[in-house]
Amino acid sequence: MSSSLGKVNMGLVMGLAIGAALGGLLFGYDTAVISGAEEAIVHNFVTPRTDLTEVARNSLAGTAIGIALLGCVLGSLIAGPLSTSLGRRAGMLIAAFLFFASSILSGFPELGLAPIGGLGVEGLTPFMIYRFIGGVAIGMASLISPLYIAEIAPAKQRGLLITFQQIAIVGGMLLVYFVNLKIAEFGTDEWVLSTGWRYMLASAGIPAALFFLAAFLMPDTPRWYVMKQKEDKARKLLSELNDPQEAQATMDEIRGSLNEHSGKLFSFGVGVVVIGVLLSVFQQFVGINAVLYYAPLMFKNIGSGTDQALFQTVLVGAANVVFTLVATFTVDNWGRKPLLILGALVMAVSMAALGILFQQKQEGTLLLYAAMLYIAGFALSWGPVVWVLLAEMFPNSIKGKAMAIAVAAQWISNYIVTWSFKVIDGDSALNATFNHGLNYYVYAACSVLAAVFVWKFVPETKGRTLEAIESLWKKS
């Protein structure tokens, strides 16, 4: 929208942003819910397969835990074209429905096939199918929600409003850490392995239903209405969001930005797409989801029991929320680049510390502090700021296609990290030398590379309108 704010109806803008950000809540909830169920999934579906080698079992476990991420790749690829053809709102409704169904079925994969628990290790196949479908939903929401927010937000507050998405993500993580902890308290460790994990996964149906209701009540975005020649609807919504003069100015900007270029993916050059993809890759290669997916396993590796490990995971989740809130108040003041560079350096130091602590078999308190410092560095920077940049850096005419590729790259990278963590962490030979610490050294090195990449190649977009950001890129 135009840089002149006029009389912005911030109540309506914030309400729509919060509604769309519930897609982030699903993202966060799903990311973290698997951390409580991970041990049970391996125990029930992988460990009994004694005919497999250690490497094969570790690989299968990594695939089972990370299968949703492959669904996220597909979801993010179809979300751009789908949200362009059917609308941002329709895309959110479809994502919410798919996620609701997959949550229930992932918890009870035998439904319609056999009595609960009756499939034994063969239950892994339907479980992975349902988790994949849930991943499709998350991939869709991860692209469409920040896109929706960016397209209804005033330029000067766009960074703040898009961080609502990340607040919802980390809020969903913290919420499900508590849910997992409370479910685990209903029974013994053995009960969690046999039954409790089902309720953990099925509980994700509740936020999915809330997201569906919110999306049902929301309009589409002005930019989508203009793309579909529904200018009356666009003008009406813009008039509700701004004063009439401001609404017309924004309308003219949208029209101009959509007509100026062909819409071909590289019509602004290759650089903008490559930078978006690498931002997504580095956001995952710094190791965030190795920590978030496997936090309880990480704490169990240094001797914590199930309840203690889940409680320590809650503390990590709380640090994630607190520093994401800090980012909310700094992203539009400090700028995108300084936050990304600072966060990458903090993560490099803390990941190196985690590697050393594991290798030297240090006690759990120091490890918890290092993990929380890492989470603080990520939550302050690469968590929210990458989503802000992806939502605003791509020109309007290629935004759907470019975001689809960048977000797909993010989920592919996420899967690589999630799968490889399980393989490396379970390797007896590597653990004889590094004692579960090798992964963290790799993530520390990636964090340093991420800082250099941002310093050299990423432009600052703070305070610019979506239309003005296009001037940063040259047509090929």
Side-chain angles (χ1 to χ4, degrees):
M1 290 187 179
S2 173
S3 59
S4 172
L5 286 179
K7 296 180 181 178
V8 175
N9 184 348
M10 283 306 298
L12 177 59
V13 171
M14 291 185 70
L16 294 176
I18 291 170
L22 289 175
L25 185 71
L26 298 189
F27 179 178
Y29 204 100
D30 184 75
T31 295
V33 72
I34 199 69
S35 69
E38 178 267 336
E39 185 179 4
I41 293 164
V42 174
H43 173 80
N44 290 304
F45 299 131
V46 178
T47 301
R49 298 171 186 259
T50 53
D51 55 314
L52 299 179
T53 65
E54 178 186 63
V55 172
R57 282 198 302 273
N58 288 336
S59 180
L60 180 60
T63 302
I65 301 304
I67 189 68
L69 301 174
L70 295 181
C72 291
V73 176
L74 176 60
S76 62
L77 287 173
I78 66 174
L82 187 147
S83 66
T84 298
S85 60
L86 300 182
R88 284 50 163 143
R89 173 179 175 269
M92 290 190 287
L93 287 169
I94 294 169
F97 174 78
L98 290 177
F99 190 73
F100 177 85
S102 72
S103 299
I104 305 301
L105 293 171
S106 294
F108 301 92
E110 303 90 350
L111 281 175
L113 301 173
I116 301 303
L119 291 179
V121 296
E122 299 306 317
L124 183 61
T125 298
F127 169 81
M128 292 174 67
I129 291 171
Y130 298 139
R131 285 290 294 165
F132 182 89
I133 293 171
V136 171
I138 297 303
M140 291 173 60
S142 70
L143 184 148
I144 297 172
S145 289
L147 177 61
Y148 184 98
I149 297 171
E151 292 187 350
I152 56 93
K156 289 186 178 179
Q157 290 153 320
R158 189 175 56 248
L160 167 66
L161 292 171
I162 296 175
T163 59
F164 283 10
Q165 163 88 351
Q166 186 66 17
I167 292 170
I169 291 172
V170 298
M173 291 176 185
L174 181 59
L175 174 62
V176 76
Y177 285 149
F178 273 114
V179 170
N180 285 350
L181 176 61
K182 292 303 177 183
I183 289 175
E185 290 176 352
F186 278 120
T188 62
D189 288 0
E190 290 72 22
W191 177 82
V192 173
L193 291 177
S194 65
T195 304
W197 68 275
R198 298 179 182 274
Y199 299 117
M200 293 177 182
L201 292 172
S203 70
I206 297 174
L210 292 175
F211 183 43
F212 185 92
L213 178 61
F216 183 78
L217 297 173
M218 290 158 56
D220 222 301
T221 71
R223 284 177 176 81
W224 186 78
Y225 285 138
V226 173
M227 279 195 295
K228 296 302 177 179
Q229 289 80 49
K230 299 181 180 181
E231 294 199 359
D232 289 343
K233 288 187 175 182
R235 190 175 291 106
K236 181 177 182 293
L237 179 55
L238 285 170
S239 297
E240 293 173 356
L241 296 170
N242 301 281
D243 62 55
Q245 183 179 358
E246 177 71 10
Q248 187 57 51
T250 303
M251 191 82 164
D252 293 340
E253 283 187 343
I254 294 171
R255 252 195 236 108
S257 68
L258 292 174
N259 293 332
E260 185 177 351
H261 290 271
S262 65
K264 292 181 180 179
L265 180 61
F266 298 120
S267 60
F268 287 84
V270 176
V272 60
V273 178
V274 172
I275 289 173
V277 167
L278 289 178
L279 278 170
S280 290
V281 170
F282 276 119
Q283 189 199 46
Q284 299 305 313
F285 278 12
V286 297
I288 181 59
N289 283 308
V291 174
L292 296 177
Y293 276 61
Y294 297 114
L297 175 62
M298 179 174 69
F299 292 120
K300 284 186 177 184
N301 281 340
I302 47 90
S304 298
T306 297
D307 286 350
Q308 185 182 8
L310 289 173
F311 176 72
Q312 290 168 324
T313 301
V314 168
L315 295 180
V316 169
N320 203 359
V321 171
V322 169
F323 284 94
T324 298
L325 290 173
V326 173
T328 299
F329 297 105
T330 55
V331 67
D332 281 325
N333 294 320
W334 292 12
R336 285 51 161 160
K337 287 188 69 165
L339 281 174
L340 288 176
I341 293 171
L342 172 64
L345 295 177
V346 170
M347 289 189 293
V349 170
S350 51
M351 275 298 187
L354 279 170
I356 293 169
L357 289 170
F358 270 110
Q359 190 169 8
Q360 296 183 350
K361 302 181 180 180
Q362 295 294 315
E363 56 93 18
T365 302
L366 288 175
L367 186 144
L368 177 62
Y369 290 157
M372 292 179 71
L373 178 63
Y374 169 80
I375 287 292
F378 181 84
L380 181 66
S381 58
W382 284 80
V385 177
V386 168
W387 288 110
V388 171
L389 280 168
L390 291 181
E392 67 186 8
M393 69 182 285
F394 297 124
N396 284 332
S397 57
I398 66 167
K399 190 183 292 290
K401 297 175 185 175
M403 275 196 75
I405 292 173
V407 176
Q410 186 174 127
W411 289 116
I412 292 170
S413 303
N414 191 336
Y415 176 78
I416 291 170
V417 170
T418 303
W419 174 82
S420 64
F421 180 93
K422 193 70 179 175
V423 173
I424 294 172
D425 189 72
D427 190 286
S428 301
L430 291 175
N431 288 335
T433 303
F434 296 101
N435 189 42
H436 304 286
L438 179 59
N439 277 309
Y440 305 104
Y441 291 133
V442 174
Y443 305 145
C446 288
S447 297
V448 173
L449 291 175
V452 174
F453 165 70
V454 171
W455 174 48
K456 288 285 189 180
F457 299 108
V458 177
E460 181 57 73
T461 58
K462 180 184 76 170
R464 297 173 182 260
T465 67
L466 294 180
E467 288 69 34
I469 291 171
E470 291 190 5
S471 66
L472 297 173
W473 314 107
K474 295 181 179 180
K475 185 177 180 181
S476 58

